[in-house]
């Protein structure tokens, strides 16, 4: 199972040592701006790139509006990853972007 968190919580969490933001949007979406320091792995590539993720970290998963990130969280949590879904996605993000 995974937890849904608000963008304000995600903004606080992303500064913790063992937490990483995982952006599962497509490249053209990320080109419009992403959360600073976020790792970009499009949802369609997630299974093929699981080896790039560390099971000792917690991932805050982000997409455009929260749907794809919830699906990614479901898949990742079933595989033993600690994940949190940022509800509302980048549509609700009010922090800085790069």
């Amino acid at each position: 199972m995974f937890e849904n968190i608000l963008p304000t919580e995600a903004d606080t969490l992303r500064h913790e040592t063992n937490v990483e933001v995982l952006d599962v949007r497509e490249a053209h979406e990320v080109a419009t701006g992403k959360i600073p320091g976020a790792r970009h792995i499009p949802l369609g590539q997630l299974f093929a790139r699981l080896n790039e993720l560390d099971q000792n970290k917690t991932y805050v998963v982000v997409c455009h509006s929260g749907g794809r990130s919830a699906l990614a969280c479901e898949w990742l949590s079933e595989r033993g990853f600690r994940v949190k879904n940022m509800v509302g996605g980048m549509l609700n993000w009010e922090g800085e972007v790069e």
Side-chain angles (χ1 to χ4, degrees), residues 20-24 59-63 68-70 72-73 76 83-87:
E20 188 171 352
V21 176
L22 176 62
D23 193 322
V24 296
Y59 291 93
V60 174
V61 187
V62 178
C63 69
R68 285 174 286 175
S69 57
C73 282
L76 290 169
V83 290
K84 297 178 185 287
N85 180 45
M86 189 176 89
V87 295

Side-chain angles (χ1 to χ4, degrees), residues 1-2 18 46-47 50 53-59 61 71-84:
M1 218 50 224
F2 62 90
N18 215 28
L46 193 55
F47 279 145
L50 281 179
L53 301 179
D54 182 348
Q55 288 208 328
N56 295 314
K57 288 188 175 186
T58 297
Y59 291 93
V61 187
L71 183 57
C73 282
E74 187 176 322
W75 291 346
L76 290 169
S77 66
E78 288 172 356
R79 283 153 186 81
F81 289 92
R82 288 184 306 245
V83 290
K84 297 178 185 287

Side-chain angles (χ1 to χ4, degrees), residues 4-5 7 10 21-26 29-30 32-35 38-44 46 60-73 84-93 97:
N4 288 311
I5 62 170
V21 176
L22 176 62
D23 193 322
V24 296
R25 295 177 297 158
E26 296 299 319
E29 294 173 292
V30 171
T32 65
K34 68 180 180 70
I35 296 171
R39 176 188 300 258
H40 175 231
I41 301 178
L43 183 62
L46 193 55
V60 174
V61 187
V62 178
C63 69
H64 180 69
S65 62
R68 285 174 286 175
S69 57
L71 183 57
C73 282
K84 297 178 185 287
N85 180 45
M86 189 176 89
V87 295
M90 290 302 288
L91 288 175
N92 286 350
W93 179 255
V97 294

